[in-house]
Amino acid sequence: MHLFEYEFFRNAVWAALLASVTCGIVGSYIVARRMVFISGGITHASFGGIGIAYYLGLNPVTGAAVFSVLSALGIEYVSGKTNVREDSAIGILWSLGMALGIIFVFMTPGYAPNLMSYLFGSILTVGKTDLRLMLGLSAVIALFFIRFYHIILFIAFDEEYARAHRVSVSLFKYILISLVALTIVMNIRIVGIILVISFLTIPQSTANLFTKNLRLMMIYSIIIGIIGSLSGIYTSYYLDIPSGATIIFAFVIIFGIAKAIQAARTSAGIRRQIG
């Protein structure tokens, strides 16, 4: 507990809690709709916004947010309104974002910035401003999903049913994909561009082993996210290894344990039926 005497560690813990909330809720929607590849495309496209922001002398997070939201809306529009395949649109924006990021960082006058913290994350460097933004995003996401839970449930599992009940599916999909993009950007500081997709999928996949209910899946994902994040922070601090990668490694271990428990329960149920 003596670590809580340090402000940077308290900030890291708060960041882990808020990241678990946003990723737990949004990530459950991603897994339910099988949008993991879309999220990966948005994640890597955000690097273009970071590069452009550095070149223009702006806040890299702001650049990443704008570029990610535009990329997300572009993917949703192209896949829904044109005959371009969704995976092709994702691949194009994925490549474009990474390419633009590299080009603009190279063109930035003076000393080239260190982008390692954006690629692999550094939760121990999260500041008060980051926490305020994450808190605001957590509140918006929580309120939106609580207010429109049943509509989101219909869209995630049966779009035609939602359209039959005159739900503005396209509008909700645009809003949801924008929230996905903002969640990705806000959590880049935690685990980085390379690993943020794991934060959005591994706890949710673990929760999905024990429930098919979307609401319970969100709750379980938040709990798993908190346990894995705090375990990763402590481990990375004491072993002096990268925090983002350690958090993801903790998630994988939790998933492995959960899978073993599920297999043991299934085996025990089969034995009871036979006996």
PDB file of all heavy atoms in Angstrom, residues 24-63:
ATOM      1  N   GLY A  24     -14.672  -2.227 -20.910  1.00  0.00           N
ATOM      2  CA  GLY A  24     -15.597  -3.297 -20.559  1.00  0.00           C
ATOM      3  C   GLY A  24     -16.930  -3.134 -21.254  1.00  0.00           C
ATOM      4  O   GLY A  24     -17.503  -4.111 -21.764  1.00  0.00           O
ATOM      5  N   ILE A  25     -17.448  -1.912 -21.291  1.00  0.00           N
ATOM      6  CA  ILE A  25     -18.747  -1.660 -21.916  1.00  0.00           C
ATOM      7  C   ILE A  25     -18.641  -1.696 -23.437  1.00  0.00           C
ATOM      8  O   ILE A  25     -19.352  -2.453 -24.116  1.00  0.00           O
ATOM      9  CB  ILE A  25     -19.306  -0.304 -21.448  1.00  0.00           C
ATOM     10  CG1 ILE A  25     -19.564  -0.331 -19.938  1.00  0.00           C
ATOM     11  CG2 ILE A  25     -20.593   0.028 -22.196  1.00  0.00           C
ATOM     12  CD1 ILE A  25     -19.967   1.011 -19.356  1.00  0.00           C
ATOM     13  N   VAL A  26     -17.752  -0.877 -23.984  1.00  0.00           N
ATOM     14  CA  VAL A  26     -17.622  -0.787 -25.438  1.00  0.00           C
ATOM     15  C   VAL A  26     -17.088  -2.093 -26.025  1.00  0.00           C
ATOM     16  O   VAL A  26     -17.534  -2.542 -27.084  1.00  0.00           O
ATOM     17  CB  VAL A  26     -16.702   0.396 -25.812  1.00  0.00           C
ATOM     18  CG1 VAL A  26     -16.396   0.391 -27.308  1.00  0.00           C
ATOM     19  CG2 VAL A  26     -17.360   1.710 -25.422  1.00  0.00           C
ATOM     20  N   GLY A  27     -16.133  -2.716 -25.329  1.00  0.00           N
ATOM     21  CA  GLY A  27     -15.563  -3.963 -25.824  1.00  0.00           C
ATOM     22  C   GLY A  27     -16.585  -5.085 -25.903  1.00  0.00           C
ATOM     23  O   GLY A  27     -16.520  -5.932 -26.810  1.00  0.00           O
ATOM     24  N   SER A  28     -17.554  -5.109 -24.989  1.00  0.00           N
ATOM     25  CA  SER A  28     -18.612  -6.120 -25.044  1.00  0.00           C
ATOM     26  C   SER A  28     -19.455  -5.949 -26.306  1.00  0.00           C
ATOM     27  O   SER A  28     -19.849  -6.927 -26.948  1.00  0.00           O
ATOM     28  CB  SER A  28     -19.505  -6.024 -23.799  1.00  0.00           C
ATOM     29  OG  SER A  28     -18.760  -6.299 -22.625  1.00  0.00           O
ATOM     30  N   TYR A  29     -19.728  -4.701 -26.663  1.00  0.00           N
ATOM     31  CA  TYR A  29     -20.451  -4.419 -27.908  1.00  0.00           C
ATOM     32  C   TYR A  29     -19.628  -4.871 -29.110  1.00  0.00           C
ATOM     33  O   TYR A  29     -20.168  -5.453 -30.053  1.00  0.00           O
ATOM     34  CB  TYR A  29     -20.770  -2.929 -27.989  1.00  0.00           C
ATOM     35  CG  TYR A  29     -21.303  -2.473 -29.323  1.00  0.00           C
ATOM     36  CD1 TYR A  29     -22.608  -2.768 -29.698  1.00  0.00           C
ATOM     37  CD2 TYR A  29     -20.503  -1.758 -30.205  1.00  0.00           C
ATOM     38  CE1 TYR A  29     -23.107  -2.351 -30.928  1.00  0.00           C
ATOM     39  CE2 TYR A  29     -20.992  -1.333 -31.427  1.00  0.00           C
ATOM     40  CZ  TYR A  29     -22.290  -1.634 -31.794  1.00  0.00           C
ATOM     41  OH  TYR A  29     -22.768  -1.231 -33.010  1.00  0.00           O
ATOM     42  N   ILE A  30     -18.319  -4.608 -29.068  1.00  0.00           N
ATOM     43  CA  ILE A  30     -17.437  -5.009 -30.168  1.00  0.00           C
ATOM     44  C   ILE A  30     -17.437  -6.523 -30.351  1.00  0.00           C
ATOM     45  O   ILE A  30     -17.570  -7.036 -31.470  1.00  0.00           O
ATOM     46  CB  ILE A  30     -16.003  -4.498 -29.906  1.00  0.00           C
ATOM     47  CG1 ILE A  30     -15.939  -2.978 -30.042  1.00  0.00           C
ATOM     48  CG2 ILE A  30     -15.006  -5.162 -30.854  1.00  0.00           C
ATOM     49  CD1 ILE A  30     -14.618  -2.385 -29.606  1.00  0.00           C
ATOM     50  N   VAL A  31     -17.287  -7.250 -29.243  1.00  0.00           N
ATOM     51  CA  VAL A  31     -17.248  -8.710 -29.320  1.00  0.00           C
ATOM     52  C   VAL A  31     -18.601  -9.264 -29.756  1.00  0.00           C
ATOM     53  O   VAL A  31     -18.671 -10.199 -30.563  1.00  0.00           O
ATOM     54  CB  VAL A  31     -16.825  -9.299 -27.957  1.00  0.00           C
ATOM     55  CG1 VAL A  31     -16.981 -10.819 -27.948  1.00  0.00           C
ATOM     56  CG2 VAL A  31     -15.380  -8.922 -27.651  1.00  0.00           C
ATOM     57  N   ALA A  32     -19.688  -8.675 -29.244  1.00  0.00           N
ATOM     58  CA  ALA A  32     -21.028  -9.154 -29.602  1.00  0.00           C
ATOM     59  C   ALA A  32     -21.310  -8.967 -31.087  1.00  0.00           C
ATOM     60  O   ALA A  32     -21.920  -9.835 -31.725  1.00  0.00           O
ATOM     61  CB  ALA A  32     -22.082  -8.424 -28.770  1.00  0.00           C
ATOM     62  N   ARG A  33     -20.837  -7.862 -31.655  1.00  0.00           N
ATOM     63  CA  ARG A  33     -21.075  -7.591 -33.077  1.00  0.00           C
ATOM     64  C   ARG A  33     -19.964  -8.126 -33.982  1.00  0.00           C
ATOM     65  O   ARG A  33     -20.003  -7.932 -35.178  1.00  0.00           O
ATOM     66  CB  ARG A  33     -21.197  -6.081 -33.317  1.00  0.00           C
ATOM     67  CG  ARG A  33     -22.563  -5.506 -33.009  1.00  0.00           C
ATOM     68  CD  ARG A  33     -22.780  -4.221 -33.773  1.00  0.00           C
ATOM     69  NE  ARG A  33     -22.778  -4.444 -35.209  1.00  0.00           N
ATOM     70  CZ  ARG A  33     -22.558  -3.462 -36.105  1.00  0.00           C
ATOM     71  NH1 ARG A  33     -22.294  -2.225 -35.689  1.00  0.00           N
ATOM     72  NH2 ARG A  33     -22.596  -3.717 -37.389  1.00  0.00           N
ATOM     73  N   ARG A  34     -18.984  -8.790 -33.374  1.00  0.00           N
ATOM     74  CA  ARG A  34     -17.850  -9.330 -34.132  1.00  0.00           C
ATOM     75  C   ARG A  34     -17.156  -8.225 -34.931  1.00  0.00           C
ATOM     76  O   ARG A  34     -16.917  -8.337 -36.135  1.00  0.00           O
ATOM     77  CB  ARG A  34     -18.301 -10.457 -35.059  1.00  0.00           C
ATOM     78  CG  ARG A  34     -18.795 -11.677 -34.297  1.00  0.00           C
ATOM     79  CD  ARG A  34     -19.327 -12.747 -35.245  1.00  0.00           C
ATOM     80  NE  ARG A  34     -19.604 -13.989 -34.530  1.00  0.00           N
ATOM     81  CZ  ARG A  34     -20.725 -14.242 -33.872  1.00  0.00           C
ATOM     82  NH1 ARG A  34     -21.676 -13.311 -33.841  1.00  0.00           N
ATOM     83  NH2 ARG A  34     -20.925 -15.388 -33.250  1.00  0.00           N
ATOM     84  N   MET A  35     -16.803  -7.133 -34.222  1.00  0.00           N
ATOM     85  CA  MET A  35     -16.177  -5.963 -34.832  1.00  0.00           C
ATOM     86  C   MET A  35     -14.704  -5.829 -34.461  1.00  0.00           C
ATOM     87  O   MET A  35     -14.145  -4.737 -34.528  1.00  0.00           O
ATOM     88  CB  MET A  35     -16.912  -4.688 -34.387  1.00  0.00           C
ATOM     89  CG  MET A  35     -18.320  -4.551 -34.886  1.00  0.00           C
ATOM     90  SD  MET A  35     -19.160  -3.155 -34.079  1.00  0.00           S
ATOM     91  CE  MET A  35     -18.009  -1.810 -34.400  1.00  0.00           C
ATOM     92  N   VAL A  36     -14.080  -6.920 -34.070  1.00  0.00           N
ATOM     93  CA  VAL A  36     -12.693  -6.845 -33.608  1.00  0.00           C
ATOM     94  C   VAL A  36     -11.780  -6.304 -34.696  1.00  0.00           C
ATOM     95  O   VAL A  36     -10.898  -5.471 -34.452  1.00  0.00           O
ATOM     96  CB  VAL A  36     -12.216  -8.222 -33.116  1.00  0.00           C
ATOM     97  CG1 VAL A  36     -10.742  -8.169 -32.742  1.00  0.00           C
ATOM     98  CG2 VAL A  36     -13.048  -8.686 -31.928  1.00  0.00           C
ATOM     99  N   PHE A  37     -11.964  -6.767 -35.934  1.00  0.00           N
ATOM    100  CA  PHE A  37     -11.105  -6.316 -37.031  1.00  0.00           C
ATOM    101  C   PHE A  37     -11.317  -4.829 -37.316  1.00  0.00           C
ATOM    102  O   PHE A  37     -10.369  -4.091 -37.596  1.00  0.00           O
ATOM    103  CB  PHE A  37     -11.390  -7.142 -38.284  1.00  0.00           C
ATOM    104  CG  PHE A  37     -10.416  -6.907 -39.405  1.00  0.00           C
ATOM    105  CD1 PHE A  37      -9.047  -6.890 -39.170  1.00  0.00           C
ATOM    106  CD2 PHE A  37     -10.865  -6.698 -40.702  1.00  0.00           C
ATOM    107  CE1 PHE A  37      -8.144  -6.665 -40.206  1.00  0.00           C
ATOM    108  CE2 PHE A  37      -9.980  -6.477 -41.732  1.00  0.00           C
ATOM    109  CZ  PHE A  37      -8.612  -6.456 -41.487  1.00  0.00           C
ATOM    110  N   ILE A  38     -12.574  -4.362 -37.208  1.00  0.00           N
ATOM    111  CA  ILE A  38     -12.853  -2.929 -37.387  1.00  0.00           C
ATOM    112  C   ILE A  38     -12.122  -2.116 -36.327  1.00  0.00           C
ATOM    113  O   ILE A  38     -11.505  -1.087 -36.617  1.00  0.00           O
ATOM    114  CB  ILE A  38     -14.367  -2.664 -37.308  1.00  0.00           C
ATOM    115  CG1 ILE A  38     -15.087  -3.327 -38.462  1.00  0.00           C
ATOM    116  CG2 ILE A  38     -14.660  -1.166 -37.290  1.00  0.00           C
ATOM    117  CD1 ILE A  38     -16.595  -3.153 -38.427  1.00  0.00           C
ATOM    118  N   SER A  39     -12.165  -2.588 -35.093  1.00  0.00           N
ATOM    119  CA  SER A  39     -11.493  -1.884 -34.001  1.00  0.00           C
ATOM    120  C   SER A  39      -9.992  -1.835 -34.215  1.00  0.00           C
ATOM    121  O   SER A  39      -9.340  -0.831 -33.925  1.00  0.00           O
ATOM    122  CB  SER A  39     -11.808  -2.583 -32.670  1.00  0.00           C
ATOM    123  OG  SER A  39     -13.190  -2.670 -32.479  1.00  0.00           O
ATOM    124  N   GLY A  40      -9.429  -2.941 -34.733  1.00  0.00           N
ATOM    125  CA  GLY A  40      -8.007  -2.943 -35.050  1.00  0.00           C
ATOM    126  C   GLY A  40      -7.656  -1.914 -36.109  1.00  0.00           C
ATOM    127  O   GLY A  40      -6.625  -1.237 -36.029  1.00  0.00           O
ATOM    128  N   GLY A  41      -8.532  -1.778 -37.112  1.00  0.00           N
ATOM    129  CA  GLY A  41      -8.301  -0.771 -38.148  1.00  0.00           C
ATOM    130  C   GLY A  41      -8.336   0.642 -37.602  1.00  0.00           C
ATOM    131  O   GLY A  41      -7.484   1.484 -37.926  1.00  0.00           O
ATOM    132  N   ILE A  42      -9.325   0.938 -36.746  1.00  0.00           N
ATOM    133  CA  ILE A  42      -9.430   2.263 -36.136  1.00  0.00           C
ATOM    134  C   ILE A  42      -8.214   2.539 -35.255  1.00  0.00           C
ATOM    135  O   ILE A  42      -7.666   3.649 -35.252  1.00  0.00           O
ATOM    136  CB  ILE A  42     -10.722   2.368 -35.308  1.00  0.00           C
ATOM    137  CG1 ILE A  42     -11.943   2.215 -36.212  1.00  0.00           C
ATOM    138  CG2 ILE A  42     -10.781   3.697 -34.561  1.00  0.00           C
ATOM    139  CD1 ILE A  42     -13.245   2.094 -35.454  1.00  0.00           C
ATOM    140  N   THR A  43      -7.792   1.519 -34.511  1.00  0.00           N
ATOM    141  CA  THR A  43      -6.646   1.679 -33.613  1.00  0.00           C
ATOM    142  C   THR A  43      -5.400   2.103 -34.372  1.00  0.00           C
ATOM    143  O   THR A  43      -4.708   3.060 -33.994  1.00  0.00           O
ATOM    144  CB  THR A  43      -6.377   0.353 -32.874  1.00  0.00           C
ATOM    145  OG1 THR A  43      -7.539  -0.008 -32.131  1.00  0.00           O
ATOM    146  CG2 THR A  43      -5.195   0.497 -31.938  1.00  0.00           C
ATOM    147  N   HIS A  44      -5.089   1.408 -35.440  1.00  0.00           N
ATOM    148  CA  HIS A  44      -3.867   1.717 -36.198  1.00  0.00           C
ATOM    149  C   HIS A  44      -4.021   2.986 -37.042  1.00  0.00           C
ATOM    150  O   HIS A  44      -3.042   3.681 -37.294  1.00  0.00           O
ATOM    151  CB  HIS A  44      -3.487   0.528 -37.077  1.00  0.00           C
ATOM    152  CG  HIS A  44      -2.953  -0.639 -36.293  1.00  0.00           C
ATOM    153  ND1 HIS A  44      -3.783  -1.507 -35.620  1.00  0.00           N
ATOM    154  CD2 HIS A  44      -1.688  -1.054 -36.057  1.00  0.00           C
ATOM    155  CE1 HIS A  44      -3.044  -2.420 -35.001  1.00  0.00           C
ATOM    156  NE2 HIS A  44      -1.779  -2.172 -35.252  1.00  0.00           N
ATOM    157  N   ALA A  45      -5.260   3.280 -37.462  1.00  0.00           N
ATOM    158  CA  ALA A  45      -5.477   4.516 -38.205  1.00  0.00           C
ATOM    159  C   ALA A  45      -5.215   5.742 -37.328  1.00  0.00           C
ATOM    160  O   ALA A  45      -4.818   6.801 -37.828  1.00  0.00           O
ATOM    161  CB  ALA A  45      -6.904   4.555 -38.751  1.00  0.00           C
ATOM    162  N   SER A  46      -5.418   5.603 -36.005  1.00  0.00           N
ATOM    163  CA  SER A  46      -5.213   6.738 -35.101  1.00  0.00           C
ATOM    164  C   SER A  46      -3.774   7.244 -35.124  1.00  0.00           C
ATOM    165  O   SER A  46      -3.521   8.409 -34.789  1.00  0.00           O
ATOM    166  CB  SER A  46      -5.588   6.341 -33.668  1.00  0.00           C
ATOM    167  OG  SER A  46      -4.704   5.356 -33.164  1.00  0.00           O
ATOM    168  N   PHE A  47      -2.847   6.388 -35.523  1.00  0.00           N
ATOM    169  CA  PHE A  47      -1.445   6.807 -35.586  1.00  0.00           C
ATOM    170  C   PHE A  47      -1.260   7.942 -36.592  1.00  0.00           C
ATOM    171  O   PHE A  47      -0.381   8.793 -36.429  1.00  0.00           O
ATOM    172  CB  PHE A  47      -0.554   5.618 -35.959  1.00  0.00           C
ATOM    173  CG  PHE A  47       0.911   5.898 -35.844  1.00  0.00           C
ATOM    174  CD1 PHE A  47       1.484   6.212 -34.625  1.00  0.00           C
ATOM    175  CD2 PHE A  47       1.742   5.846 -36.955  1.00  0.00           C
ATOM    176  CE1 PHE A  47       2.839   6.477 -34.517  1.00  0.00           C
ATOM    177  CE2 PHE A  47       3.101   6.103 -36.860  1.00  0.00           C
ATOM    178  CZ  PHE A  47       3.646   6.416 -35.637  1.00  0.00           C
ATOM    179  N   GLY A  48      -2.106   7.954 -37.634  1.00  0.00           N
ATOM    180  CA  GLY A  48      -2.052   9.052 -38.596  1.00  0.00           C
ATOM    181  C   GLY A  48      -2.392  10.379 -37.940  1.00  0.00           C
ATOM    182  O   GLY A  48      -1.749  11.406 -38.205  1.00  0.00           O
ATOM    183  N   GLY A  49      -3.399  10.383 -37.073  1.00  0.00           N
ATOM    184  CA  GLY A  49      -3.763  11.601 -36.360  1.00  0.00           C
ATOM    185  C   GLY A  49      -2.664  12.076 -35.428  1.00  0.00           C
ATOM    186  O   GLY A  49      -2.439  13.283 -35.274  1.00  0.00           O
ATOM    187  N   ILE A  50      -1.969  11.124 -34.788  1.00  0.00           N
ATOM    188  CA  ILE A  50      -0.860  11.487 -33.899  1.00  0.00           C
ATOM    189  C   ILE A  50       0.252  12.165 -34.695  1.00  0.00           C
ATOM    190  O   ILE A  50       0.800  13.193 -34.286  1.00  0.00           O
ATOM    191  CB  ILE A  50      -0.333  10.231 -33.179  1.00  0.00           C
ATOM    192  CG1 ILE A  50      -1.384   9.709 -32.200  1.00  0.00           C
ATOM    193  CG2 ILE A  50       0.976  10.542 -32.441  1.00  0.00           C
ATOM    194  CD1 ILE A  50      -1.018   8.394 -31.560  1.00  0.00           C
ATOM    195  N   GLY A  51       0.599  11.598 -35.853  1.00  0.00           N
ATOM    196  CA  GLY A  51       1.654  12.178 -36.684  1.00  0.00           C
ATOM    197  C   GLY A  51       1.298  13.561 -37.190  1.00  0.00           C
ATOM    198  O   GLY A  51       2.130  14.484 -37.151  1.00  0.00           O
ATOM    199  N   ILE A  52       0.067  13.736 -37.662  1.00  0.00           N
ATOM    200  CA  ILE A  52      -0.372  15.037 -38.166  1.00  0.00           C
ATOM    201  C   ILE A  52      -0.374  16.076 -37.048  1.00  0.00           C
ATOM    202  O   ILE A  52       0.037  17.231 -37.241  1.00  0.00           O
ATOM    203  CB  ILE A  52      -1.772  14.916 -38.811  1.00  0.00           C
ATOM    204  CG1 ILE A  52      -1.710  14.046 -40.072  1.00  0.00           C
ATOM    205  CG2 ILE A  52      -2.329  16.297 -39.160  1.00  0.00           C
ATOM    206  CD1 ILE A  52      -3.058  13.717 -40.669  1.00  0.00           C
ATOM    207  N   ALA A  53      -0.822  15.678 -35.852  1.00  0.00           N
ATOM    208  CA  ALA A  53      -0.852  16.602 -34.720  1.00  0.00           C
ATOM    209  C   ALA A  53       0.558  17.040 -34.331  1.00  0.00           C
ATOM    210  O   ALA A  53       0.793  18.219 -34.032  1.00  0.00           O
ATOM    211  CB  ALA A  53      -1.555  15.941 -33.530  1.00  0.00           C
ATOM    212  N   TYR A  54       1.501  16.114 -34.324  1.00  0.00           N
ATOM    213  CA  TYR A  54       2.888  16.483 -34.038  1.00  0.00           C
ATOM    214  C   TYR A  54       3.403  17.483 -35.062  1.00  0.00           C
ATOM    215  O   TYR A  54       4.069  18.474 -34.724  1.00  0.00           O
ATOM    216  CB  TYR A  54       3.776  15.230 -34.043  1.00  0.00           C
ATOM    217  CG  TYR A  54       4.014  14.655 -32.669  1.00  0.00           C
ATOM    218  CD1 TYR A  54       3.605  13.363 -32.358  1.00  0.00           C
ATOM    219  CD2 TYR A  54       4.660  15.383 -31.673  1.00  0.00           C
ATOM    220  CE1 TYR A  54       3.818  12.821 -31.103  1.00  0.00           C
ATOM    221  CE2 TYR A  54       4.880  14.861 -30.419  1.00  0.00           C
ATOM    222  CZ  TYR A  54       4.469  13.581 -30.132  1.00  0.00           C
ATOM    223  OH  TYR A  54       4.672  13.057 -28.892  1.00  0.00           O
ATOM    224  N   TYR A  55       3.096  17.244 -36.314  1.00  0.00           N
ATOM    225  CA  TYR A  55       3.583  18.135 -37.388  1.00  0.00           C
ATOM    226  C   TYR A  55       2.989  19.538 -37.249  1.00  0.00           C
ATOM    227  O   TYR A  55       3.671  20.544 -37.484  1.00  0.00           O
ATOM    228  CB  TYR A  55       3.214  17.542 -38.744  1.00  0.00           C
ATOM    229  CG  TYR A  55       3.689  18.362 -39.915  1.00  0.00           C
ATOM    230  CD1 TYR A  55       5.032  18.355 -40.302  1.00  0.00           C
ATOM    231  CD2 TYR A  55       2.795  19.157 -40.630  1.00  0.00           C
ATOM    232  CE1 TYR A  55       5.458  19.121 -41.374  1.00  0.00           C
ATOM    233  CE2 TYR A  55       3.216  19.921 -41.701  1.00  0.00           C
ATOM    234  CZ  TYR A  55       4.552  19.898 -42.072  1.00  0.00           C
ATOM    235  OH  TYR A  55       4.986  20.661 -43.128  1.00  0.00           O
ATOM    236  N   LEU A  56       1.716  19.632 -36.836  1.00  0.00           N
ATOM    237  CA  LEU A  56       1.041  20.924 -36.713  1.00  0.00           C
ATOM    238  C   LEU A  56       1.243  21.559 -35.345  1.00  0.00           C
ATOM    239  O   LEU A  56       0.747  22.665 -35.094  1.00  0.00           O
ATOM    240  CB  LEU A  56      -0.459  20.753 -36.979  1.00  0.00           C
ATOM    241  CG  LEU A  56      -0.847  20.267 -38.386  1.00  0.00           C
ATOM    242  CD1 LEU A  56      -2.346  20.062 -38.481  1.00  0.00           C
ATOM    243  CD2 LEU A  56      -0.360  21.255 -39.451  1.00  0.00           C
ATOM    244  N   GLY A  57       1.942  20.872 -34.441  1.00  0.00           N
ATOM    245  CA  GLY A  57       2.179  21.405 -33.106  1.00  0.00           C
ATOM    246  C   GLY A  57       0.978  21.322 -32.199  1.00  0.00           C
ATOM    247  O   GLY A  57       0.847  22.127 -31.258  1.00  0.00           O
ATOM    248  N   LEU A  58       0.089  20.353 -32.448  1.00  0.00           N
ATOM    249  CA  LEU A  58      -1.121  20.195 -31.636  1.00  0.00           C
ATOM    250  C   LEU A  58      -0.950  19.041 -30.657  1.00  0.00           C
ATOM    251  O   LEU A  58       0.033  18.306 -30.697  1.00  0.00           O
ATOM    252  CB  LEU A  58      -2.327  19.931 -32.542  1.00  0.00           C
ATOM    253  CG  LEU A  58      -2.607  20.982 -33.631  1.00  0.00           C
ATOM    254  CD1 LEU A  58      -3.745  20.522 -34.528  1.00  0.00           C
ATOM    255  CD2 LEU A  58      -2.951  22.332 -32.987  1.00  0.00           C
ATOM    256  N   ASN A  59      -1.932  18.891 -29.773  1.00  0.00           N
ATOM    257  CA  ASN A  59      -1.931  17.770 -28.836  1.00  0.00           C
ATOM    258  C   ASN A  59      -2.125  16.465 -29.607  1.00  0.00           C
ATOM    259  O   ASN A  59      -3.116  16.313 -30.326  1.00  0.00           O
ATOM    260  CB  ASN A  59      -3.064  17.948 -27.819  1.00  0.00           C
ATOM    261  CG  ASN A  59      -3.007  16.917 -26.708  1.00  0.00           C
ATOM    262  OD1 ASN A  59      -2.619  15.779 -26.924  1.00  0.00           O
ATOM    263  ND2 ASN A  59      -3.408  17.312 -25.514  1.00  0.00           N
ATOM    264  N   PRO A  60      -1.207  15.507 -29.479  1.00  0.00           N
ATOM    265  CA  PRO A  60      -1.325  14.251 -30.234  1.00  0.00           C
ATOM    266  C   PRO A  60      -2.621  13.491 -29.953  1.00  0.00           C
ATOM    267  O   PRO A  60      -3.167  12.858 -30.862  1.00  0.00           O
ATOM    268  CB  PRO A  60      -0.110  13.450 -29.761  1.00  0.00           C
ATOM    269  CG  PRO A  60       0.860  14.467 -29.277  1.00  0.00           C
ATOM    270  CD  PRO A  60       0.039  15.568 -28.709  1.00  0.00           C
ATOM    271  N   VAL A  61      -3.126  13.549 -28.713  1.00  0.00           N
ATOM    272  CA  VAL A  61      -4.369  12.850 -28.379  1.00  0.00           C
ATOM    273  C   VAL A  61      -5.542  13.464 -29.139  1.00  0.00           C
ATOM    274  O   VAL A  61      -6.430  12.747 -29.623  1.00  0.00           O
ATOM    275  CB  VAL A  61      -4.616  12.891 -26.862  1.00  0.00           C
ATOM    276  CG1 VAL A  61      -5.969  12.264 -26.517  1.00  0.00           C
ATOM    277  CG2 VAL A  61      -3.506  12.160 -26.120  1.00  0.00           C
ATOM    278  N   THR A  62      -5.545  14.808 -29.260  1.00  0.00           N
ATOM    279  CA  THR A  62      -6.598  15.476 -30.022  1.00  0.00           C
ATOM    280  C   THR A  62      -6.559  15.049 -31.480  1.00  0.00           C
ATOM    281  O   THR A  62      -7.596  14.734 -32.083  1.00  0.00           O
ATOM    282  CB  THR A  62      -6.446  17.002 -29.931  1.00  0.00           C
ATOM    283  OG1 THR A  62      -6.476  17.400 -28.558  1.00  0.00           O
ATOM    284  CG2 THR A  62      -7.558  17.704 -30.694  1.00  0.00           C
ATOM    285  N   GLY A  63      -5.360  15.018 -32.056  1.00  0.00           N
ATOM    286  CA  GLY A  63      -5.218  14.574 -33.443  1.00  0.00           C
ATOM    287  C   GLY A  63      -5.673  13.141 -33.630  1.00  0.00           C
ATOM    288  O   GLY A  63      -6.365  12.810 -34.609  1.00  0.00           O
TER     289      GLY A  63
END
